[in-house]
Amino acid sequence: MNTIPRLTRTALALAAMTALAGCGPTGPIFGDWQGRQPSGFGINPSFVDLVLHGNPGDIQGEYDIQATEPQTTLDYIGERNLIWGDRWTITRDAASGLPILHLHNLPNSQISTYAMLQDHVLVPVTPDGRPDLSRGALRYSLVPVPASSRAYGRL
């Protein structure tokens, strides 16, 4: 039997999140994006926050990505958060000239290669490395979080 009541667990989780909410980025942020990935439970997508660490204009650095995956209704909290991090690099697509973002060592369940459009929206790429602008792929695009946002650079 679980010795910590559900209400106490929830209160402890909220207290921890509140304490972390005041923490700002610890270094330069290349950019911050939010969106969805198709890797959630069943037909529900996971919601992701992606932070690229580095200075504007960098072509490589470190990333952190958090995926919030909805769980079954039998789960107490109803979702789980998965966090990964490693290196990112940017190359250029020869045909379009668009920057292509590569998130290294991300699990296969996650989209790891995006094209960056002129408005800084990240869209998945096709297997041949081209931006996938199909309707299905666009729902998995990541939109930039404004630097003025309270959540900018935080996971």
Side-chain angles (χ1 to χ4, degrees), residues 41-97:
F41 178 78
I43 61 171
N44 298 319
S46 62
F47 296 92
V48 298
D49 291 300
L50 169 65
V51 176
L52 300 182
H53 303 280
N55 292 303
D58 283 355
I59 59 169
Q60 63 181 346
E62 295 181 5
Y63 73 86
D64 291 308
I65 189 169
Q66 176 177 308
T68 303
E69 295 184 335
Q71 296 296 297
T72 65
T73 56
L74 301 176
D75 197 0
Y76 286 119
I77 298 175
E79 62 185 35
R80 67 180 176 154
N81 292 325
L82 304 170
I83 299 176
W84 299 281
D86 207 322
R87 305 281 305 156
W88 62 267
T89 56
I90 291 181
T91 58
R92 291 263 174 203
D93 177 48
S96 68

Side-chain angles (χ1 to χ4, degrees), residues 132-153:
D132 189 349
L133 300 176
S134 68
R135 184 175 178 158
L138 287 178
R139 67 181 174 179
Y140 298 120
S141 61
L142 304 179
V143 296
V145 174
S148 61
S149 169
R150 195 173 89 101
Y152 183 78

Side-chain angles (χ1 to χ4, degrees), residues 112-133:
S112 61
T113 306
Y114 292 92
M116 186 183 297
L117 304 178
Q118 279 82 10
D119 58 1
H120 296 273
V121 171
L122 297 176
V123 296
V125 298
T126 61
D128 65 353
R130 304 274 187 243
D132 189 349
L133 300 176

